[in-house]
Every structure is written in C-alpha cells, then in structure tokens.
Amino acid sequence: MCIAIDMGSLCSAGCGENLSTCCSNLSNMLEFTKGLITELGSLSSDEDFSIVHFGTNVTIASALESWRQSIETINQLEYNGGGSDLAGAISSCQKALAISPPNRKNVMLLMGVGAPSMPEVNPLEAAATAAMNARIQNTAIVPIVIEEPTLADDSNVLYLKNEISSDGQVFVSDLVDLNNLQEMLFEHLICLT
C-alpha cells in the first residue's frame, strides 16, 4: 500500500498567514494516517507501506516498509507546502508499488487531496493520465478529501471520482470527523485487498 499525503492543498487552502492552524490540520491528518496504518498493520504482518508526500515537490519518503517503520517515517515528515502535484504523487506511488511482491493487491491512498495545481500546464489531465496508468497496472486508487463536506469543491470531488478513483469512491471528511472516516475507509480497504 502506498499512502500519498498532500501537504500543499491542506495547508494552502484558506490558511493565509495562519500557519499554526495549518500545522494543526496537518498534524491531525498525520495522526489519522498513523492510526489507519496501525489498524491495517495489525491485521496482516506481511503488509508493506510506502509513504509519499507532496506539495509543489514530490518525495518518496519510504518504500515498502513495515507498518511500525511507516509510523516512524510519518513522524519525521515536515510540512513542505506549495502547490499540489497529484500527477507526480500518483506516479511516485506507482513506482514504489512496482517493487512489491506480485501476489499482492496494490492500493494507493491519496490523503487530503485538493485540486491538482502542478505541473503548471494541464495539471488535471496530467493527474488523470497518471491515475489511468496506475489503474492499468491493477492498482486500486482511493482519494480522500479532508475538508468540511458541505464546503468541499463539488467539481474537485467529481473529478476525483471520475478521473482518479479506481472504483468511483471518494471519501470526504472534515478534520473533526476523522474517526468515522477511518472506520468507513478501513472497511473499504479490506474489501480492496
């Protein structure tokens, strides 16, 4: 499983100069991600996780490590902000998953996904193409939008549903309701794997 964490969209949208709120939002999302990894890791000792974080730049922080090692990797992530290179994140996750054992179902979680803004030319098309290439390689893609559901950009959610998600599912939650999201997402991931 590869988890791509969008550090650009979460902290850029509506924060302005208030980086302490953004840091709090990011911290909450990272705690949610660690909780999900812990829950998934407790089910299967052979599940490996890759961690990618992105904003304007994309970094593969770890590739195919245990759930405990993934928690440590997430603990060391630092906010990098900027835009949202969703195409780069999807391609990087697919690259990390390409070395997984052939008998495993590859799953990609796109955490906190906002509207892609990178690359500068056709970011929506670039992300859709990267997602299509990952789906062709039998990778399940699950977008997770972290914002108030009533304020979620309907066009972005529709885009993620139609162009990015492998099964038309997009999970939307605010930071307050992450526990309910974790339960729904956990059940969905168990069905995918």
Side-chain angles (χ1 to χ4, degrees), residues 73-190:
T73 297
I74 290 173
N75 284 337
Q76 299 195 15
L77 293 180
E78 293 183 11
Y79 171 69
N80 61 354
S84 180
D85 186 357
L86 183 56
I90 293 169
S91 296
S92 293
C93 262
Q94 189 59 41
K95 181 179 178 182
L97 291 170
I99 60 173
S100 65
N103 60 336
R104 288 201 190 152
K105 174 68 177 168
N106 287 333
V107 177
M108 186 182 306
L109 296 182
L110 305 174
M111 298 293 302
V113 182
S117 60
M118 306 296 290
E120 290 182 18
V121 177
N122 297 322
L124 296 172
E125 184 179 319
T129 299
M132 181 184 65
N133 290 336
R135 289 191 306 267
I136 287 170
Q137 296 175 56
N138 294 316
T139 298
I141 303 173
V142 181
I144 302 159
V145 178
I146 307 290
E147 62 184 302
E148 182 67 43
T150 58
L151 299 176
D153 180 351
D154 290 339
S155 63
N156 185 49
V157 172
L158 191 59
Y159 164 77
L160 292 169
K161 179 180 180 178
N162 293 331
E163 301 294 333
I164 304 299
S165 175
S166 57
D167 63 0
Q169 292 284 324
V170 176
F171 293 86
V172 181
S173 177
D174 60 17
L175 289 163
V176 175
D177 205 25
L178 288 178
N179 287 336
N180 289 335
L181 174 63
Q182 186 169 343
E183 291 173 24
M184 289 187 313
L185 189 56
F186 182 74
E187 289 176 21
H188 185 72
L189 293 173
I190 295 301

Side-chain angles (χ1 to χ4, degrees), residues 16-60:
E17 298 297 316
N18 191 356
L19 290 179
S20 63
T21 299
C22 289
C23 290
S24 174
N25 291 348
L26 179 60
S27 176
N28 290 339
M29 187 175 68
L30 294 176
E31 288 302 316
F32 166 77
T33 304
K34 291 188 299 188
L36 185 63
I37 289 172
T38 300
E39 195 169 348
L40 290 168
S42 68
L43 289 180
S44 171
S45 60
D46 66 343
E47 182 72 45
D48 292 322
F49 297 89
S50 298
I51 307 296
V52 169
H53 63 96
F54 67 105
T56 300
N57 299 309
V58 179
T59 302
I60 299 175

